[in-house]
């Protein structure tokens, strides 16, 4: 007889939710995990599920390498990519607790072998660790790609200075520190240098002492891996030429780990936040960590919701690896999902929706919508161009949360709406397009995600404005221009 945990696991493996939004009377049929992995060309998946304040179960699926056919197990290491950032942030906050570092001191105070170049922007406001951890430091290097095995790799100082053989520019300040949100791996490169200088250890060794060993993350390392780890795969499920990309900057994307190990990071933050401190974090520092600094970003992870719905999360994305960590401190719940395929993101979302249903999470559950009939004349009245009127911080939050609403060259950013038969078709500022269906004569929903549209009338009932709603905390206004 199957026990309760086995029933949960089976419900997830055989009940994947393929659609975030469904029509109320025609929900999508649940899907099988192995079939969906084949559909997305994702060779391997590994996950760990947190419930009641502990790892309830962990499991691997598929293969770590499509050529050798080595199976994925709970011990298989994956590239965490950008989930390295919140783990690095934990080390910084421990050093803050020990009064070795301060969140609001000019970071150049801690740097001796290299300094952040000063300019007119840094004269207005100095850069702090708080800025770096929350992506508000204004630091940038332009395009950055990492390094293949047959390419020379720069030293870390060469990387910071943008010197050959670095393939990126020098770290520099492009926006006023603290003025706006700008997701920045370069900010975490600076953090890496600070950790090395104040501890006297190479970054990987410092992270081992400050975070990995104390939390029992024995399968985790910031050292370059060998062939025993999961290999990266392209969109067709084939092993990439380089198997993984090398990075001299480890703080922003150099962690190799397992979902079970990453769950220990999540549990430390959850326990410290919700109880009287954790293993290495005090409750006060954990609460600072999970306080939004700009938009949805705390000191390391992204933050949404509050109270029972409070969530901290972070994703990781790179060539052939995608992963996601989510945690609900007040509920003692969460999950870590790691994949080794370029199409891993839709697979991760399907698993999150399935987990949300089985464990009754406050986020990620599929949403049922009822479609109504709206007169063609009314639909036609909504067609037009709408320019974003929101303040820059709100726009920055949209970019942060969605990754697709981009502002370029200071030009007005617009949504284009047109009528297609009995629904609307909307082109977003970055060129993506999506169908929207009427929930009422002024409210429309998409099936691809939970984005909603609201149209506001003038006194004479003519349409004057559009509100794009991603979630309760994130709404973007746009005024009709034609």
């Amino acid at each position: 007889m199957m026990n309760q945990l086995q029933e949960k696991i089976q419900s997830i493996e055989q009940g994947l939710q393929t659609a975030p939004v469904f029509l109320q009377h025609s929900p999508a049929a649940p899907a099988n995990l192995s079939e969906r992995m084949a559909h997305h060309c994702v060779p391997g998946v590994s996950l760990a599920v947190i419930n009641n304040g502990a790892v309830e179960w962990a499991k691997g699926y598929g293969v770590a390498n499509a050529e050798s056919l080595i199976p994925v197990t709970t011990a298989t290491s994956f590239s965490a990519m950008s989930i390295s950032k919140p783990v690095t942030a934990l080390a910084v906050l421990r050093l803050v607790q020990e009064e070795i570092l301060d969140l609001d001191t000019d970071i150049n105070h801690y740097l001796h072998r290299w300094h952040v170049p000063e300019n007119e922007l840094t004269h207005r406001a100095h850069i702090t660790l708080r800025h770096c951890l929350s992506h508000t430091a204004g630091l940038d290097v332009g395009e950055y790609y990492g390094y293949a095995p047959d390419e020379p790799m720069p030293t870390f100082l060469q990387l910071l200075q943008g010197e050959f053989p670095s393939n990126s520019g020098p770290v520099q300040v492009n926006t006023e520190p603290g003025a706006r949100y700008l997701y920045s791996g370069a900010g975490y490169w600076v953090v890496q240098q600070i950790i090395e200088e104040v501890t006297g250890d190479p970054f990987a060794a410092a992270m081992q002492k400050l975070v990995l060993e104390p939390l029992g993350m024995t399968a985790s390392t910031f050292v370059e891996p060998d062939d025993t780890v999961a290999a990266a795969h392209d969109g067709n499920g084939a092993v990439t030429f380089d198997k993984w990309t090398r990075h001299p900057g480890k703080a922003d994307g150099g962690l190799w780990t397992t979902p079970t190990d990453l769950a220990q990071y999540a549990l430390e933050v959850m326990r410290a936040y919700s109880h009287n401190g954790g293993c290495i974090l005090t409750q006060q520092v954990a609460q600072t960590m999970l306080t939004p600094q700009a938009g949805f970003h705390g000191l390391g992870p992204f933050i949404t919701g509050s109270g029972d719905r409070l969530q901290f999360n972070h994703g990781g994305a790179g060539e052939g690896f995608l992963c996601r960590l989510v945690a609900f401190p007040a509920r003692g719940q969460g999950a870590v999902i790691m994949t080794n395929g370029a199409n891993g993101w839709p697979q991760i979302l399907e698993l999150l929706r399935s987990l949300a249903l089985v464990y009754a999470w406050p986020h990620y559950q599929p949403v049922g919508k009822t479609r109504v009939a709206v007169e063609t004349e009314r639909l036609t009245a909504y067609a037009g161009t709408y320019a974003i009127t929101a303040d820059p911080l709100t726009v920055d939050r949209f970019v942060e949360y969605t990754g697709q609403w981009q502002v370029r060259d200071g030009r007005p950013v617009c949504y284009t709406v047109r009528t297609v038969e009995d629904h609307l078709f909307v082109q977003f500022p970055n060129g993506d397009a999506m169908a929207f269906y009427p929930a009422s004569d002024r409210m429309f929903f998409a099936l691809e995600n939970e984005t909603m549209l609201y149209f506001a009338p003038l006194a004479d009932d003519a349409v004057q404005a559009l509100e794009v709603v991603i979630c309760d905390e994130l709404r973007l206004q746009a005024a009709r221009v034609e």
Side-chain angles (χ1 to χ4, degrees), residues 260-419:
T260 302
D261 259 26
L262 269 182
Q264 303 312 309
Y265 155 82
L267 286 166
E268 167 67 13
V269 176
M270 293 164 73
R271 291 166 183 157
Y273 181 88
S274 300
H275 302 93
N276 191 24
C279 175
I280 61 176
L281 272 192
T282 66
Q283 186 175 46
Q284 181 181 3
V285 172
Q287 290 176 346
T288 300
M289 182 184 200
L290 299 190
T291 299
Q293 305 291 312
F296 292 103
H297 222 107
L299 298 180
F302 291 89
I303 315 295
T304 58
S306 59
D308 186 59
R309 295 177 61 84
L310 176 67
Q311 174 194 188
F312 67 90
N313 66 78
H314 211 287
E319 184 184 7
F321 289 102
L322 287 104
C323 49
R324 185 78 170 180
L325 177 151
V326 303
F328 306 98
R331 304 169 67 91
Q333 294 181 307
V336 182
I337 305 170
M338 308 188 80
T339 72
N340 61 348
N343 299 329
W345 186 236
Q347 182 67 80
I348 289 170
L349 291 177
E350 291 174 1
L351 277 164
L352 286 175
R353 288 192 285 268
S354 184
L355 287 162
L357 280 178
V358 170
Y359 285 94
W361 289 353
H363 298 278
Y364 302 106
Q365 292 197 33
V367 178
K369 300 286 187 182
T370 300
R371 182 175 177 177
V372 303
V374 175
E375 296 177 357
T376 302
E377 183 179 0
R378 168 69 74 180
L379 291 175
T380 302
Y382 295 139
T385 301
Y386 299 79
I388 293 173
T389 57
D391 60 274
L393 178 58
T394 300
V395 174
D396 288 345
R397 292 174 71 197
F398 250 75
V399 174
E400 172 187 3
Y401 196 85
T402 66
Q404 64 179 5
W405 276 266
Q406 302 288 340
V407 178
R408 294 189 179 93
D409 303 327
R411 294 174 294 179
V413 180
C414 301
Y415 294 87
T416 303
V417 179
R418 58 189 175 91
T419 304

Side-chain angles (χ1 to χ4, degrees), residues 191-254:
V191 169
Q192 176 174 331
Q193 182 66 22
I194 290 173
I195 289 175
E196 289 192 348
E197 296 217 24
V198 301
T199 64
D201 291 322
F203 179 73
M207 290 301 298
Q208 198 72 27
K209 294 176 184 177
L210 292 168
V211 175
L212 305 183
E213 286 180 4
L215 297 186
M217 297 174 66
T218 57
S220 302
T221 182
F222 281 88
V223 175
E224 201 73 32
D226 56 28
D227 282 337
T228 61
V229 301
H233 296 76
D234 62 22
N236 296 315
V239 176
T240 62
F241 159 72
D242 47 5
K243 295 185 181 178
W244 62 82
T245 305
R246 298 180 300 157
H247 301 272
K250 303 297 185 184
D252 69 317

Side-chain angles (χ1 to χ4, degrees), residues 47-187:
L47 75 158
V49 178
I50 299 169
N51 198 39
N52 295 320
V55 175
E56 186 169 89
W57 62 278
K59 197 169 179 181
Y61 303 87
V63 296
N65 186 308
E67 295 174 352
S68 64
L69 301 182
I70 297 171
V72 171
T73 71
T74 56
T76 303
S77 288
F78 287 74
S79 172
M81 303 306 295
S82 285
I83 299 182
S84 307
K85 294 181 177 71
V87 177
T88 297
L90 191 58
V92 172
L93 292 172
R94 182 174 181 186
L95 292 169
V96 168
Q97 274 182 187
E98 296 172 0
E99 299 183 351
I100 296 170
L101 295 174
D102 179 81
L103 287 173
D104 299 308
T105 293
D106 186 335
I107 57 173
N108 275 335
H109 172 75
Y110 301 112
L111 294 166
H112 303 289
R113 289 190 294 158
W114 172 87
H115 288 86
V116 175
E118 295 188 357
N119 58 24
E120 180 184 346
L121 296 169
T122 61
H123 293 157
R124 296 179 199 167
H126 60 253
I127 300 173
T128 68
L129 282 166
R130 189 185 300 275
H131 293 147
C132 292
L133 298 185
S134 61
H135 299 280
T136 57
L139 293 166
D140 194 19
V141 294
E143 297 292 333
Y144 174 69
Y145 303 101
Y147 301 85
D150 59 349
E151 292 181 308
M153 191 162 70
T155 65
F156 189 55
L157 283 177
Q158 286 174 328
L159 180 74
L160 292 171
Q161 294 167 167
E163 296 177 351
F164 182 82
S166 171
N167 58 22
S168 57
V171 174
Q172 57 189 354
V173 182
N174 287 339
T175 60
E176 182 178 338
R180 60 177 295 182
Y181 174 88
L182 177 66
Y183 189 83
S184 170

